[in-house]
Amino acid sequence: MDIKTVDAVMVRKCFLAGAKRIEANKEEINELNVFPVPDGDTGTNMTLTIMSAAKEVSALENPTMEQVCKAISGGSLRGARGNSGVILSQLFRGFSKELREYQGASVTVLAAAFERAVETAYKAVMKPKEGTILTVARGAAERAKQLAEEGEEDVLLFAEEILQHMKEVLAVTPEMLPVLKEAGVVDSGGQGLVTIMEGVLDALNGKETDFTLTESQPAQQKASGAGNDAISTADIKFGYCTEFIIMLEKPYNMSEELKFKAYLESIGDSIVVVSDEDIVKVHVHTNDPGLAIQRALTYGSLTKMKIDNMREEHNERVIMGAPQEAKKQAEEEKAETAPRKPVGFLAVSVGEGLNEIFKEIGVDYIIEGGQTMNPSTEDMLNAIAQVNADTIFILPNNSNIILAAEQAAKLTKDKEIVVVPSKTVPQGITAVINYMPDKSVEENKTRMTEEMRKVKTGQVTYAVRDTSMDGKEIKAGDIMGIGDKSILSVGGDIADVTFELFECLLDDDSELVSLYYGQECSEEDAQALADRVMEAYPDVDVEVHSGGQPIYYYILSVE
């Protein structure tokens, strides 16, 4: 079969086949993760990212190349989760930008698209690391360019050669990253990219794929403005929470955006308008959703439309008697109607105790998520919409969420978003505490970042797989004490492993320890552990807090 060009229909088919391929193999990719912790793993994050775009792509019938490319780029951009997901979304974004100008893409065009994809992804990462998904992607682009220069014209042979080279590059990633070599695995993100490419090749070979898409559970669902038992339906001024995405087909600049926002303000409130190059995400509370939709249609076609009757949802919630949901909804509606303030704070957290601590120190909105399910870029955008402030500081509190936060910051036009790169909850708490109202935004970001890096963090959890790491043989089910950069203690007893972790973190300068106990630990157990530490280290104060976090028995902060 000789394929000289691929059209929009074939690109759609290839993309969906790649999405289904990684969805079917995500657990195998998760198994390659070096850290054996029960977190939001690479395979899961890449799958959720590509499936976000796949939903939009699958909804297109007889699409043009531009429509397919917009759906791929926009869907993956908003659905990106974790570092691997954000990088994957940037690869798709660059590839789509190059491809969208052509109705039929030849080998030469595809090679240029591969190259642009890699350029876009590398720019998105502040400190690119070789031996990762980026290396495999660059290998694909280099082989694509070579094949195009050699005069290859058959798209199928072109794809086969690229896939083979990607596998060869993937096989040597352990030589580039010692941590991969020690664990005896290849890079999980690179494997994910190879898996997607295998699906693409299946489609080019004519293999039939079931494109039925399963509904994935997001990291957190933002309540859409429905009422609660503390609010009468009469207090809901605008009854319909209306959301949709505009796939831009006509000029849309800042002037047009301001006109559109002004129109929405004339028919409703709680307005959020976030625009990218090709899409505009809209959220408005109104009594006539049709008016918002009609005006939006003047800019392009609509997708992901959602209209909720907030008065009806309010009554259902009152009848069902969901006090926690009602409390959360009351807070969200209060945030939406609160007067605009100069500075606000968002923090990623999970666990009632930790959430309350963040609120007590001034955080306006908690983004539910963290280790087990990384929030997406769209989750971040929804949270940003809940804080009515000119400047918003975001505390990701997880190294795997920072890129998604930064991506959300780039997509936000009407607020200044400052991402403080906190990698742990203790770092995030320290950062917020060190905010100084009389200092500038830049001065505060510098101060918050410097102070949080003085905090040592320890986390105690269990291993989900066998591995060898940091000179330790770890078996599934072992208890692990994890420091900021490595696994410091391993054993079978939670208290003993936690105490050993303390011993690794404490030094002569240590003065204060905060111990946050999780869902599976009691206050009595935590206090006994604190007493044990204070007996061994009499000069150190230990504070015990209920964190309520899942998965992690204890989270430690040493200052």
Side-chain angles (χ1 to χ4, degrees), residues 25 83 182 268 439 444 503:
N25 293 277
N83 293 342
E182 183 181 6
K439 301 292 184 182
N444 265 304
E503 291 185 311

Side-chain angles (χ1 to χ4, degrees), residues 278-453:
D278 308 322
I279 61 169
V280 180
K281 179 176 173 59
V282 180
H283 171 278
V284 60
H285 291 178
T286 178
N287 285 326
D288 194 338
L291 293 177
I293 289 170
Q294 288 173 22
R295 179 57 66 94
L297 284 169
T298 64
Y299 297 108
S301 57
L302 306 187
T303 184
K304 298 190 78 171
M305 299 175 66
K306 180 171 175 284
I307 300 174
D308 293 322
N309 184 328
M310 295 189 291
R311 295 185 179 96
E312 183 178 286
E313 288 189 2
H314 163 79
N315 290 332
E316 289 178 358
R317 193 164 286 136
V318 172
I319 293 169
M320 294 295 289
Q324 284 300 112
E325 184 63 26
K327 179 183 177 183
K328 179 180 178 182
Q329 187 59 40
E331 291 174 350
E332 290 180 348
E333 292 190 358
K334 180 180 178 182
E336 288 178 346
T337 57
R340 197 170 180 94
K341 57 184 182 178
V343 176
F345 296 88
L346 292 175
V348 179
S349 175
V350 61
E352 286 188 23
L354 293 176
N355 294 351
E356 284 303 316
I357 289 170
F358 275 116
K359 290 176 184 177
E360 287 170 4
I361 61 176
V363 170
D364 299 278
Y365 193 88
I366 302 297
I367 306 171
E368 295 286 344
Q371 284 296 109
T372 54
M373 181 61 79
N374 301 145
S376 69
T377 298
E378 188 161 24
D379 291 328
M380 295 281 183
L381 291 172
N382 287 336
I384 288 169
Q386 294 299 313
V387 180
N388 193 12
D390 297 321
T391 300
I392 300 174
F393 288 87
I394 297 183
L395 293 307
N397 301 332
N398 186 311
S399 60
N400 208 31
I401 300 175
I402 295 173
L403 279 182
E406 291 175 344
Q407 190 152 282
K410 292 176 183 177
L411 292 173
T412 303
K413 308 296 183 184
D414 60 340
K415 301 172 183 177
E416 181 181 9
I417 307 300
V418 181
V419 179
V420 180
S422 54
K423 296 181 179 180
T424 65
V425 164
Q427 283 190 352
I429 292 172
T430 298
V432 177
I433 290 173
N434 279 279
Y435 172 77
M436 304 290 287
D438 59 336
K439 301 292 184 182
S440 69
V441 170
E442 195 55 45
E443 286 174 324
N444 265 304
K445 181 179 181 181
T446 300
R447 174 184 169 82
M448 293 163 77
T449 303
E450 288 176 350
E451 291 301 318
M452 76 182 189
R453 286 177 177 163

Side-chain angles (χ1 to χ4, degrees), residues 31 76 80 150 178 207 230 269 309 348 353 387 419 471 501 514 528 530:
E31 287 294 321
S76 60
E150 291 174 355
K207 181 179 179 180
D269 64 8
N309 184 328
V348 179
V387 180
V419 179
L501 178 59
S514 297

Side-chain angles (χ1 to χ4, degrees), residues 70 244 246-264 273 278 280 282 292-302:
K70 282 184 177 182
F244 51 81
I246 307 172
M247 309 293 285
L248 291 173
E249 296 169 358
K250 295 181 181 178
Y252 183 87
N253 51 29
M254 183 57 70
S255 175
E256 286 297 325
E257 181 168 311
L258 291 174
K259 290 179 184 176
F260 185 39
K261 284 183 177 178
Y263 176 76
L264 294 177
V273 177
D278 308 322
V280 180
V282 180
I293 289 170
Q294 288 173 22
R295 179 57 66 94
L297 284 169
T298 64
Y299 297 108
S301 57
L302 306 187

